[in-house]
Amino acid sequence: MGNIKRVRYKTKRRQIVGERPGTISIADDALKPIITVYSYNEKELVCADGHDLKVILDQFKKCKDHTHWIQIRGLNDEKLIEDIGTYLKINPLVLEDIVNTHQRPKFDEYDGYFFTVIRQVYYNADNELCNNQFSAIVKPGLIVSFEETHDEHFEAVKARLAGGKGAIRTAGPGYLCYALTDTIIDTYFVLLAHIGDELDAIEDRLYSHADKSIMYDAQQLKRTLIILRRITWPERDKINDILRSENPLITAEVKTFLKDAYDHIIQVMDLIENYKEIAGSVIDLYLSMVSNRMNEIMKVLTIISVIFIPLTFVAGIYGMNFARIDPATNKVMPDNMPELYSPHGYIYTLGGMVLIGIIQVIVFWKKGWFTKL
Amino acid sequence: MGNIKRVRYKTKRRQIVGERPGTISIADDALKPIITVYSYNEKELVCADGHDLKVILDQFKKCKDHTHWIQIRGLNDEKLIEDIGTYLKINPLVLEDIVNTHQRPKFDEYDGYFFTVIRQVYYNADNELCNNQFSAIVKPGLIVSFEETHDEHFEAVKARLAGGKGAIRTAGPGYLCYALTDTIIDTYFVLLAHIGDELDAIEDRLYSHADKSIMYDAQQLKRTLIILRRITWPERDKINDILRSENPLITAEVKTFLKDAYDHIIQVMDLIENYKEIAGSVIDLYLSMVSNRMNEIMKVLTIISVIFIPLTFVAGIYGMNFARIDPATNKVMPDNMPELYSPHGYIYTLGGMVLIGIIQVIVFWKKGWFTKL
Amino acid sequence: MGNIKRVRYKTKRRQIVGERPGTISIADDALKPIITVYSYNEKELVCADGHDLKVILDQFKKCKDHTHWIQIRGLNDEKLIEDIGTYLKINPLVLEDIVNTHQRPKFDEYDGYFFTVIRQVYYNADNELCNNQFSAIVKPGLIVSFEETHDEHFEAVKARLAGGKGAIRTAGPGYLCYALTDTIIDTYFVLLAHIGDELDAIEDRLYSHADKSIMYDAQQLKRTLIILRRITWPERDKINDILRSENPLITAEVKTFLKDAYDHIIQVMDLIENYKEIAGSVIDLYLSMVSNRMNEIMKVLTIISVIFIPLTFVAGIYGMNFARIDPATNKVMPDNMPELYSPHGYIYTLGGMVLIGIIQVIVFWKKGWFTKL
Amino acid sequence: MGNIKRVRYKTKRRQIVGERPGTISIADDALKPIITVYSYNEKELVCADGHDLKVILDQFKKCKDHTHWIQIRGLNDEKLIEDIGTYLKINPLVLEDIVNTHQRPKFDEYDGYFFTVIRQVYYNADNELCNNQFSAIVKPGLIVSFEETHDEHFEAVKARLAGGKGAIRTAGPGYLCYALTDTIIDTYFVLLAHIGDELDAIEDRLYSHADKSIMYDAQQLKRTLIILRRITWPERDKINDILRSENPLITAEVKTFLKDAYDHIIQVMDLIENYKEIAGSVIDLYLSMVSNRMNEIMKVLTIISVIFIPLTFVAGIYGMNFARIDPATNKVMPDNMPELYSPHGYIYTLGGMVLIGIIQVIVFWKKGWFTKL
Amino acid sequence: MGNIKRVRYKTKRRQIVGERPGTISIADDALKPIITVYSYNEKELVCADGHDLKVILDQFKKCKDHTHWIQIRGLNDEKLIEDIGTYLKINPLVLEDIVNTHQRPKFDEYDGYFFTVIRQVYYNADNELCNNQFSAIVKPGLIVSFEETHDEHFEAVKARLAGGKGAIRTAGPGYLCYALTDTIIDTYFVLLAHIGDELDAIEDRLYSHADKSIMYDAQQLKRTLIILRRITWPERDKINDILRSENPLITAEVKTFLKDAYDHIIQVMDLIENYKEIAGSVIDLYLSMVSNRMNEIMKVLTIISVIFIPLTFVAGIYGMNFARIDPATNKVMPDNMPELYSPHGYIYTLGGMVLIGIIQVIVFWKKGWFTKL
C-alpha cells in the first residue's frame, strides 16, 4: 500500500495452559547459541568463543581475578541454559523468562544476583521492525547476557572494553550492564531519527504530491511509535527501580551514570510523544486535504450543473414537437409554440439563456461559492 | 453481519431490592453441582466423586493428613452450599458471593481462611464468549473451588497433581490456589492469541477484499477486549493484595510464584492494549478505505458529468425546432438557427464539442483531479 | 423523537447570592412531610404516623429503650425541620443541606451524630428519570431519614424490621442506615438492568429495522448513565470514608456489611462503564450503517448516471436538426448528419449505445464498484 | 452568528520582559479606585467613603476596637497601593499580584497576614463574560479587599453586616473573608443557572426549529464552561489549603463554614461537567440532524434522478431524427426507427416508461431506501 | 499554505551509539563562543569581553570579592568547555549536557555547585520558531551561563545589574540564576501573547472571509503550543525541585522570588491550555463552516435538479418523433402523440410544468428544506 512495511504486533508467546512454572520451552524458530566470553581487569582483556558451557568454564579457570562478560546470542539450547542456571544457581523462573522472549523491561533482585530485561527495537536488514529481548544476569564479577539474534549490537562497547579508557574496565559488572543498557537506549534514538526522517518525508509529500499511501505510511509509523512507547515506559520504571535499589552490584558510580540513562529514556519518551503528534497531524491534514479536493470537485460539478440545468430545460422546451399545422388535417394551431415561428425567436432564446447563465453566476458569486474554503 | 458472534454484556444479577445480606439466591439457569475431591500428600493422591456433602465428609475421614481440593462444578444446590458454609464456618456474605456469579476478581481475608474470585473468559463450543466466575475458599489443608459450568479447565493441574513433580503436592493449598489462578491466566493468553489471529485475518481481508463485515467483526473483537480488560485490572490489584498479605496460607514460596503470575497478568494487559489499538486502526483504515472508494466513484461521475453537461446542452440547442419557414405562412425566417442550414454545420458542431471536451479534460488534469488521493 | 423520554439535567438549587450559611430555604415545589416513626428493640416493633413533631415526642416517651427510625417523606415544613434540629441539637449547616436537595453523596461526622447523603435515581411512574436526595441523621439509638417524595422505597427493609430475623433489630441505628443505603444501591441495579434491556432492544432494532430514533434513544441512555456515574463515584468515596471512620455508631459488624455494599457500588460502576461503551458502540454502528446506506444509494445513482450520460448524449446528437435540405432554398447538404440518412443508422446507433453501456459495466466491475463496502 | 456573544480568552497581562519582581505596573484601562471602609464590632457598624489613604487612617483613629473591612474598587492608583503596602508592611510581590489581575485563585501566608485571590466570573450589563480578580489581604482585625470594577457584588454581605445577625459581626476578619468568598461562589451558581437555561433553550430549539446558530451558541457556552472550570479547580485547591492551614486568622468556626464552601465548589464543578456534556451532546445531535437532513435531501434527489434517467434516455432515443425517407433522394429506410411509425408506438412507449418507473420504485422499496434512517 | 511558517520538530541530537558517557560532541552548526564576564559587588560592576579562558582568569584575578557572571554565547569550542570544566571541577556528564542542547529543563545538584537547564522558545528574525537551550552552572560567587546563539535575551537583567537597585547586586549568584530564569519565562508570555493575537486574527478571518489557510495556520499554532507545553511541564517540576532543595546557594530570599516564578509558569501553562482549546475550537468551527457551505451548495443543486428533472422529462416526451403520418405510406396514426396536435397542447403542457414545479417547491418548503441548517 505504501513505502513502509506493515508492522505486525503478533505475540510470540507459546500457549501451554497450566504448565509448571519454571519450565524452559524454547520457541521453534529460535537460533542456535553463539557464546563469546570477555574476561577483563585493569590490565588485560581476554576473549574466547564457543558453543557450549566448556568455553565458559575454561575461561573461568584461566582468568581468576577478572570480570567476565558472557555474551550468549541465540537461545535454542535448552541444555546450555539449564546448565548455566544450575552452575550459577539461578531461579528456574529466571531461566523461563530468558527463553520466553516476550518479557517487559524489568529488574528483579535475587539472593546474590539480579536479573534485568530490556527490549531491542530496530529495523532489520529487510526493513522489518524487530522487537527482541535482551536479558542479563549480573553476579559479583560476572555478567551473562542473552540475545535472540546473532546480530552485533555492541561493537562500540567492545571497542571501549578493548581501548580500556574510562571506567569500563574497573567499575565492575554493574557498570557493564549499564553500558549495554545505555547502548540499547542509544539505538532508540537512531530508530526515532529514522522515524523523524520518514515523517518529514511524508509531510513534504503531503504538500508536494499527496496520494493515498500517506495515510497508510503515517499509520505504520504511528504503530511503531506505539510499540516503542510501550517498552520505554516500563524501561523508565525499571531504571528508577535500579536507582532506588541498594544492591551492592549497583555502586554509587554506576548510579550517577544511570541517572544520565534515565534522562535519555525521558528524552526518548518526549520524542515519541512529539512524533505521535506529528503522525496524527499529518493524518488530519491529509484527510482535510482529501475532503477539500472532493469538495472542490463537487462544487465545480454543482455549479456547472446548476447553470446548465435550466438552460437545457429551455432547449428541451423548444425541442418539443407541438405542431403548428396538423399534418393529418392541415389545421393551423397558432397557440402551439408560436415562439418557434417568430423571426428572431432563436436569437431571443439564446439571449435569454445567456442572461439566465449570467444571473446565476452573479448569484453564486455573491453567495461566495467561488471562494476556496 | 460478520464472522464473529455478537458479544453481549448482559448482567446475570438477580435484582431483589432490599434483600437481607448473606441470602443465597441461585440463578434459574445454574447447573447441578458435580463434586470431585482430590486428597493428596507427598506420597499419594486419592480421588472421589459425588453430588453431595457425604463424599466430602467420607474423604475427610479417609485421608487425615492430606491436603484436600474440593472441586465443585455447578452451583444449583442451595442446601449443599449452605451445608459447606456451616461445616467450614464460612461467613454468609462469602456464600452469597459464590452463587452471585458476577463478582469482580477479589481477595478477602477472614478469620482462618481466605476467599478469592477470578473470572474465566473463553469462547465455548458454540463460539460464544463466556465470562464465568471461579471462586475458592482456602483454609489450612483445604481448598474448595466453585465453578459455574461442568467444563474441564484444569486438566494440566490435575496431571501435575497426579505426576507429583515440583512443589504441587507439598506446598499446601495456597500453592494449589496459585496454580489454578495461573492456569486461568494462561487461558487469557489463549483467548488473546485467538483474538490476535482474528485481527490478523481481518487486516489481511482489509487489504485483499474489504467488505462491510470488517467493521462489525472489529467492533466485536474490541468488545471482547474491553471485557477482558475490565477483569484483568482488578485481577492485577488482587494479586498485588495477595502479595502484600501476611496470611500464613500464602507462604514465601507461593509469593515467588505469584510474582511470576503478576508479570503474566501485566503481559495480558499489554497485549489487550496492543490489540485494542490494532482493532481501532483496522476500523480507521476500513473507514478511510470506504471513503476513498466513494470519493473515487463520485469523482468519476463528476468528471464524466461535467464533461458531458455542456456537450449535451449544445446538442439540445440544435435539437430546438425554431422554424426556418413558418409552415402556416411559408414565411422564411433566416435568423432562426442558420447554423442548421449551413452545409458543414454538423461537422463544425461535432468539432466544437470535441474541442470543449478536450479543454475540460486538460483543465481537470491541470487541477490534479486525476491523481488518486 | 424516540422511545425514551428526554433526560434533563436542570439543577433545582435556588440561587440567593450571599445568603447567611445555615439558612433553610425550601424549594417551592417541595411536598408536605409525612412522618412515620418505627421504634424497635429485640422484642417488639412499634409504629406511629403523623405530620408534626408531636408524634415523634410521643413515641420517644412511649418507647424508652428502643431504637427509633423517624422517616420523614416530603420536606416542605421549615418549622418542623428547625424544631427537629433544635430538639436533636443539629448544626444548621446540616439542616440547610437536608432541604437543599442537590447534595452529593457524603458522610459528615459531628459531635455525637453523623449525617449522610445518598442519591435515589429511578424512573418514576411517568417514566421520567428522578434524581432525589435521601439524607439521614444518625445518633445513638436514633436515625432520622429525609426523602423528597412520598414514594415508598423501603418496603423490604420494613418487612425485615417486622420479621425481626437477622441483625436488623439488634445491630443499632448504624446497621439500619447501612440497610437503607444498601437498598438504595440495589435500586441502581434495577435501573441498570432496565438500561441494559433498553440497550439490548436498541441493538436488536439496529440489526432488524434501524431508524433514526436509535441515535436519540442511545444518547438519552448515555445521559442517564452519566448521571448515574456522577453519583456513584462520590458514593464509593463516601462508603470508603465510613469504613475508615472510627465513629462508635459504625460498629465492626456494620463495617463487615458495608464492605459488601462497597463491592456492590464497585459492580454498579463496572456496569455503568460497560453500558456506556455499548451505548457508544451502538451509536458508532448506527452512524456507520447510515453512511453505508447513503453510500450504497449514491453508488447506484452514480453508476446509473455514468452509464446513461454518454448514451443520452448520443441520443441528443442525433436529435439535432441539422438539415439535409435547406427548406428555404432546397439546397442539399450531404455533410449534415449523413448517419440519419443511412439505411441502418438507427440499428448501428442502438448497437453502439449497448456497446458503450457494456464496456462501462465491465470497467466498473473491474474497479470493484459492485462490491458492498 | 448566534444569540450569544463571542467569548474571548485574551490575557490582560502586560509583557515587560525581565522587569524587577515586585514592580507595580497598572493596566492602562484600569479604573480609578473608590474606597469604602466598614468598621464594625458587636455593637455598631461605622462606614466611610473616599478616594485616598486619609479616609482609612481617619477611620482607624475613630474606631479603635473595631474590625475593619477596607473595600477598594478600581486599581488605577499606584501611589495608593504602594502607601497601603508600606503602611501595612505588605510584601511587594503581593502588591504586584493585586494589580496584575490575572492571578489564579490562591492562598499565600505571610508573616502576620495572608493574601487570597478568587476570580469573579459573570455576564456584565452588555452580556459579555467578565473574568475579574478579587483579592484580599487579611490581618488581625483588618481585611483589605481589591476589585477591578466599581460594580457592587456584596450587597447581601453588607446587609448582613448592617443587620448584625449571626457570626458576621463577631467572628473576625477571617469569617468576613469566608463570607465574601462564599458570595462569589454563589455567583457561579447564578452563572451556571443562566448557562443551564441557555442550554435548555438551545436544546428546545434543536427539536423545534434547528438552524446553524445552534452550533455557534453551544460552542460559546462550552467556552464559558471551560473558563469557569479553569478557575474552580484551583479555587477548590485553595479552599483545601486554607482548611489545612493553621493560621490563627482561620478559626475553627470559620473552618466549619469553609467546609460548606468546599462542598459548594465541588457542586459547581459537578454542574460544569454536567453542562459541558450537554453542550457536547447538543452539538453531536445537531451535527447528526444536519447530516440526516442532507442525507434525506440527497436520497430524494437520487431516487428521483435514478427513476427519470432511463425514462429520459428513452425519450431521447425517440427524439432522434433518423429518417424514414431521405428527403434528398426520397429513398425509404424501413429499419430507421420503425417504432415511430407503428400506430400505437407512443402508447406502448409511455406504457414501457411507466413500467420501468414502477419496477424501479419496487426495487428501491425492497432495498429499504424509503425508510428514514 | 498559510501565513504561518511550518513548525518542525526535528531533534538535533547526534546519534553515536554506545559512546562513552561524558563525551563532548559538538553539533556541526554550533556557533563560535563569545564570552562576556560581569563581576559585581554592592559597589561596582566590572565587565570584560573575550573568546577564551584567559578573559575569565584575568577577571578572577582583578575582582577578588565580586560575584562573577560568565555569559558564554555559542558552544563551538570543545577545548574551552573542557578547560572550564577542569578549572571549576565540573562532572563530565554536565559538560556533555551543555553541548548536547536537547536537554529538558532540569536542576541537578552536585558537590559544591548545581546545574540547571531551561529552554528558550521564541520566533527569530526569520519568523521561525526556535527552541534553544540555556544552561547554567552555579557555584558560590560564580554563575556560568551557556547559550546556543549570539542573540541578546538579557538586556533588562544587565540594565538592572548596571542600575544596581533591588537585590540583584547583593543576593548572590542564586538570585542572578533566578533573574535569568524569570526573564526567560517572561519571554514565554511574549510568545503566548503573539500566539493569542494570531489566534484572534484567525478567528476574525473565520467569521469575515474564511479560506483554507485557516486550517493550516491553526494547526501550526497548535504545534507551537504543544512544543511550549512540553517544556513548561518539566520547567514547573524543576522550579519545584529547586524550592524543595536545601542547597545553600538557594537562599530563603531567592525562594520567595522563585515562588513568584512558579506562579508565572503555572499561568503560562494555563494560557497554553486556553490557547490550545481555542485553536481546536477554531478548527472545529472552520470544518463545520466548510461542511455547511458544501451542504448549502449541494442543497441548491439538489432542489434545482429535482425541480427540473420531471419537467425536462416532459419536454423530452414531447420531443419524441412518433409520427402522426407515416411519410412512407401516408398512413395516419391518430394514437401517436395526439397532444401535439391539440390546438392548446403547448399551453396546457407549459401550464402543467409550472404546476409540477410549484407543487415541488411547496413540498420541499413543507419539509423544511429551505431553512439554513
Side-chain angles (χ1 to χ4, degrees), chain E residues 45-64:
Chain E
L45 169 68
V46 182
C47 302
D49 274 309
H51 292 85
D52 49 24
L53 194 67
K54 202 173 152 294
V55 64
I56 302 175
L57 299 180
D58 286 357
Q59 189 87 344
F60 279 0
K61 259 183 238 159
K62 214 163 66 185
C63 307
K64 296 241 155 115

Side-chain angles (χ1 to χ4, degrees), chain A residues 160 186 197 200 203-204 207 263 267 274 277-278 281 321-323 326 333 335-337 339 368 373, chain E residues 6 8-10 18 102 106 210 216 223 226 230 293 318-321 324 340-342 344 346 349:
Chain A
R160 278 160 60 199
D186 278 355
D197 290 345
D200 228 52
E203 205 170 11
D204 286 341
Y207 293 120
D263 279 4
Q267 284 163 23
N274 270 350
E277 275 182 83
I278 310 181
S281 111
N321 295 321
F322 284 94
D326 185 339
M333 291 165 294
D335 283 349
N336 274 354
M337 312 193 81
E339 306 90 326
L373 201 56
Chain E
R6 181 167 154 204
R8 293 169 183 276
Y9 288 90
K10 272 200 73 169
H102 57 280
K106 65 176 173 179
Y216 175 83
R223 277 199 189 179
I226 286 165
R230 197 142 287 150
R293 170 89 59 99
Y318 292 117
M320 294 195 295
N321 295 321
R324 193 167 182 79
L340 296 180
Y341 309 99
S342 129
H344 300 97
Y346 179 54
T349 304

Side-chain angles (χ1 to χ4, degrees), chain E residues 54-341:
Chain E
K54 202 173 152 294
V55 64
I56 302 175
L57 299 180
D58 286 357
Q59 189 87 344
F60 279 0
K61 259 183 238 159
K62 214 163 66 185
C63 307
K64 296 241 155 115
D65 60 343
H66 293 62
T67 301
H68 304 277
W69 170 23
I70 301 162
Q71 186 189 24
I72 297 174
R73 285 178 287 175
L75 301 171
N76 200 346
D77 190 340
E78 206 176 308
K79 173 121 187 24
L80 174 72
I81 285 158
E82 269 179 3
D83 286 352
I84 290 174
T86 314
Y87 185 78
L88 298 177
K89 301 194 188 68
I90 304 299
N91 190 320
L93 291 171
V94 167
L95 302 180
E96 187 185 4
D97 285 355
I98 287 169
V99 298
N100 229 329
T101 57
H102 57 280
Q103 308 299 318
R104 305 174 94 213
K106 65 176 173 179
F107 169 72
D108 288 347
E109 287 180 275
Y110 293 88
D111 201 18
Y113 63 98
F114 68 80
F115 175 63
T116 181
V117 172
I118 182 169
R119 310 294 310 175
Q120 294 178 305
V121 182
Y122 57 95
Y123 287 110
N124 69 6
D126 295 337
N127 235 350
E128 275 163 354
L129 193 74
C130 296
N131 180 355
N132 292 329
Q133 171 170 316
F134 172 92
S135 57
I137 295 166
V138 181
K139 295 188 78 157
L142 175 67
I143 172 166
V144 193
S145 71
F146 299 88
E147 293 165 72
E148 286 188 68
T149 66
H150 293 167
D151 299 346
E152 175 60 85
H153 296 287
F154 300 113
E155 272 176 2
V157 175
K158 289 177 183 173
R160 278 159 62 197
L161 260 185
K165 262 179 69 175
I168 197 153
R169 289 260 278 269
T170 56
Y175 183 88
L176 190 64
C177 181
Y178 148 74
L180 297 172
T181 301
D182 197 47
T183 302
I184 292 170
I185 294 174
D186 278 354
T187 62
Y188 297 168
F189 283 104
V190 175
L191 181 62
L192 283 167
H194 178 80
I195 291 172
D197 290 344
E198 291 270 15
L199 275 174
D200 229 51
I202 291 176
E203 206 170 10
D204 286 340
R205 237 155 77 202
L206 188 66
Y207 292 120
S208 57
H209 51 282
D211 63 31
K212 71 179 180 175
S213 68
I214 283 173
M215 179 84 180
Y216 175 83
D217 285 356
Q219 207 116 22
Q220 297 307 316
L221 289 180
K222 236 174 127 182
R223 277 199 189 179
T224 308
L225 290 166
I226 286 165
I227 288 174
L228 206 51
R229 188 176 56 169
R230 197 142 287 150
I231 64 169
T232 45
W233 280 83
E235 182 64 34
R236 190 194 57 167
D237 296 346
K238 186 194 89 176
I239 295 180
N240 233 334
D241 286 353
I242 304 181
L243 284 171
R244 277 200 304 261
S245 154
E246 300 190 350
N247 201 309
L249 289 159
I250 314 292
T251 61
E253 186 184 8
V254 169
K255 281 192 185 174
T256 310
F257 288 107
L258 272 171
K259 269 175 212 151
D260 197 49
Y262 185 83
D263 279 4
H264 291 173
I265 203 79
I266 297 280
Q267 285 163 22
V268 166
M269 287 160 66
D270 256 22
L271 279 176
I272 291 171
E273 294 311 312
N274 270 351
Y275 288 152
K276 272 195 68 187
E277 275 181 81
I278 310 181
S281 111
V282 162
I283 291 175
D284 284 358
L285 274 172
Y286 167 71
L287 289 177
S288 107
M289 208 167 251
V290 168
S291 122
N292 269 335
R293 170 89 59 99
M294 273 314 291
N295 282 350
E296 207 196 317
I297 296 184
M298 295 309 289
K299 211 172 63 183
V300 169
L301 162 69
T302 303
I303 292 173
I304 291 185
S305 293
V306 172
I307 289 173
F308 279 102
I309 281 171
L311 306 186
T312 303
F313 171 67
V314 169
I317 289 284
Y318 292 117
M320 294 195 295
N321 295 321
F322 284 94
R324 193 167 182 79
I325 296 178
D326 185 339
T329 61
N330 278 324
K331 201 176 92 183
V332 176
M333 290 165 295
D335 283 349
N336 275 354
M337 310 193 82
E339 305 92 325
L340 296 180
Y341 309 99

